[in-house]
Amino acid sequence: DAGVIQSPRHEVTEMGQEVTLRCKPISGHDYLFWYRQTMMRGLELLIYFNNNVPIDDSGMPEDRFSAKMPNASFSTLKIQPSEPRDSAVYFCASSFAGGLFFGSGTQLSVL
Amino acid sequence: GDSVTQMEGPVTLSEEAFLTINCTYTATGYPSLFWYVQYPGEGLQLLLKATKADDKGSNKGFEATYRKETTSFHLEKGSVQVSDSAVYFCALSDEGDVGTSYGKLTFGQGTILTVHP
């Protein structure tokens, strides 16, 4: 298996633009997590899904953030409109029966 | 709420030196405890875990013991290598469900380890 695949690896955008981050979890994994990593706040859980259903989105910072999982093999995290303080590394991770596997992350820079 | 505190970094060691990275936690109930490692440009990888008091997690020469009385989970390795240079994260989960218990995590701030030849 190729592991958790995230795209793009790097994203540079201007304030106010819409940003969409993508994630393909490991096949067969029934949990999917979105984390954000910043120097100031460290790693924070944004939202997680179980069997494609959002379970807990209490970590989503604002209404500008939204996440979907239309099927078991794909999830998106969207920021609209983006702001400079959204600059961070965004990780997707998937889990099944006790093993958590992270993707390589998307480095987002909002200018 | 839950929290994890790691020793301040960065930590710089010579090859074959002994490593300790301290980790203490605050949580309700009886959390599961984890150490993750992050190499440059990569996502986090699970290094070891412990799910109940007095359990010892171990992997690749690294060890950590779940100490409930001191609410600690310190990471140790007897002889570090240059290839161990990375960022190490202590984390906990107080979720009872096995599915979320490994994914809904509270992380420490991370400790940068650099090992010189």
Side-chain angles (χ1 to χ4, degrees), chain B residues 7-39:
Chain B
M7 66 183 288
E8 292 290 327
V11 174
T12 302
L13 296 173
S14 297
E15 206 165 27
E16 299 185 2
F18 185 85
L19 168 70
T20 299
I21 301 177
N22 290 340
C23 171
T24 57
Y25 67 89
T26 303
T28 55
Y30 303 96
S32 295
L33 302 173
F34 307 83
W35 277 101
Y36 278 81
V37 58
Q38 183 180 28
Y39 299 101

Side-chain angles (χ1 to χ4, degrees), chain A residues 9 30-31 33 35 37 42-45 48 55-56 89 91 95 97-105, chain B residues 34 36 38 41-46 49 89 95 97-109:
Chain A
R9 286 298 306 272
D30 54 354
Y31 283 84
F33 302 82
Y35 279 87
Q37 184 179 35
L43 277 153
E44 304 171 282
L45 176 64
Y48 76 93
I55 303 300
D56 184 352
V89 180
F91 288 104
S95 172
L100 182 67
F101 297 84
F102 281 80
S104 297
Chain B
F34 307 83
Y36 278 81
Q38 183 180 28
E42 298 183 11
L44 282 71
Q45 302 173 27
L46 177 63
K49 67 180 185 291
F89 292 90
E95 293 291 316
D97 174 77
V98 67
T100 54
S101 66
Y102 286 80
K104 191 177 179 185
L105 302 173
T106 299
F107 285 91
Q109 65 270 39

